[in-house]
Amino acid sequence: MAYVGQSRNVIRHVVTRGTAYHKSENAIHHPLLFACQGVRYRKLEVILTTGIEKLGKAGETVKVAPGYFRNHLMPKLLAVPNIDKYAYLIREQRKMYNPEEEKEEVKVVHKTSEVQTKEYEKAAKRLANANLVLRKLVDKEKFKNRSSKDDKPDVQTPITKEEIVSEVARQLCVKIDPDNVVLPAPLETFGEYEVPLKFPKTIPLPQGTVQWILKVKVRGH
């Protein structure tokens, strides 16, 4: 019930300002003032600020008699007219004090095997013709202690399959899973690599190849 009190305070402020504003010549166009001035409306759409038995839950839009709204709902700030500024105010208040109500149910859409196969085939073909470039810092300590100048420098942080998946998504705009990357051990040195990829057997391999390959080049900053 905490948000109800807060909503009423804010609504009271908005209604007060709105009433002052609508004392102008355009006041007769406001649904709330129609009811207050006795103009006959068959039904008036209002938004409930709190749950009312046999009428509705807080935040719902319902239709009520103008007299019922004027004499009971409005004085107690149990409801406000269904106009944009009040609707926005109620939504924001409910988000603040009842965040659980704003969570939408997540529906899991199961893709058919045909759709999955097409997606994998598209991703595989794109990766087969791509070059992934990863820029890393040099491990200075190991660089100083290397046994030969011909030894490739070590990277400061080894490259994992999760990092490869992340960079494939960022650089190549292709979404794959870590399970699609065959990397027995992280890449620890600079240089060029051919990282095997694992896709469903139903996807035809490029002519003259025996497996899917992703070309990866590890360079320094």
Side-chain angles (χ1 to χ4, degrees):
M1 296 299 291
Y3 83 93
V4 176
Q6 294 292 334
S7 298
R8 292 179 182 177
N9 290 336
V10 179
I11 294 167
R12 182 178 289 109
H13 177 66
V14 175
V15 171
T16 302
R17 292 183 59 189
T19 304
Y21 172 77
H22 286 288
K23 286 182 179 178
S24 64
E25 59 181 2
N26 295 322
I28 194 64
H29 298 296
H30 196 298
L32 171 60
L33 298 186
F34 262 108
C36 294
Q37 295 171 2
V39 179
R40 290 181 176 273
Y41 263 13
R42 290 184 178 179
K43 286 290 183 178
L44 184 66
E45 277 198 356
V46 299
I47 305 171
L48 300 177
T49 62
T50 186
I52 299 177
E53 188 177 358
K54 297 182 180 180
L55 188 58
K57 298 179 181 179
E60 288 185 346
T61 300
V62 297
K63 290 185 177 181
V64 298
Y68 179 59
F69 173 70
R70 180 177 65 249
N71 300 323
H72 178 67
L73 299 181
M74 185 180 67
K76 297 180 180 180
L77 294 177
L78 299 177
V80 294
N82 182 24
I83 57 179
D84 290 343
K85 66 177 179 181
Y86 293 120
Y88 173 80
L89 176 62
I90 294 298
R91 284 198 303 269
E92 293 304 307
Q93 289 290 318
R94 293 183 67 78
K95 284 180 185 179
M96 183 180 301
Y97 294 102
N98 290 277
E100 293 298 324
E101 294 182 1
E102 297 300 318
K103 293 182 179 179
E104 296 182 358
E105 182 181 356
V106 178
K107 296 182 180 179
V108 179
V109 179
H110 298 283
K111 296 180 180 179
T112 63
S113 57
E114 183 180 355
V115 173
Q116 287 181 328
T117 300
K118 287 182 179 179
E119 290 183 353
Y120 273 127
E121 186 173 359
K122 184 178 179 181
K125 288 181 179 179
R126 182 174 177 82
L127 296 181
N129 300 314
N131 291 292
L132 185 69
V133 179
L134 303 177
R135 295 186 178 274
K136 306 291 287 185
L137 295 173
V138 177
D139 188 324
K140 295 181 181 180
E141 190 65 29
K142 290 184 178 180
F143 184 76
K144 291 179 182 178
N145 299 327
R146 58 182 176 165
S147 57
S148 171
K149 291 183 179 180
D150 295 329
D151 291 343
K152 294 181 179 179
D154 290 291
V155 296
Q156 195 173 73
T157 55
I159 299 167
T160 63
K161 63 169 62 179
E162 286 76 16
E163 184 174 356
I164 291 176
V165 169
S166 176
E167 286 300 310
V168 164
R170 188 180 69 85
Q171 295 184 32
L172 307 178
C173 299
V174 176
K175 184 178 180 181
I176 58 175
D177 298 320
D179 292 340
N180 299 128
V181 180
V182 181
L183 192 68
L187 305 180
E188 297 182 345
T189 59
F190 290 88
E192 296 182 3
Y193 298 88
E194 289 188 346
V195 178
L197 298 174
K198 182 172 60 177
F199 291 113
K201 294 181 180 180
T202 53
I203 299 176
L205 287 162
Q207 188 174 3
T209 62
V210 295
Q211 70 177 135
W212 294 100
I213 295 293
L214 173 64
K215 296 177 182 178
V216 179
K217 188 171 185 178
V218 183
R219 303 177 59 182
H221 275 288

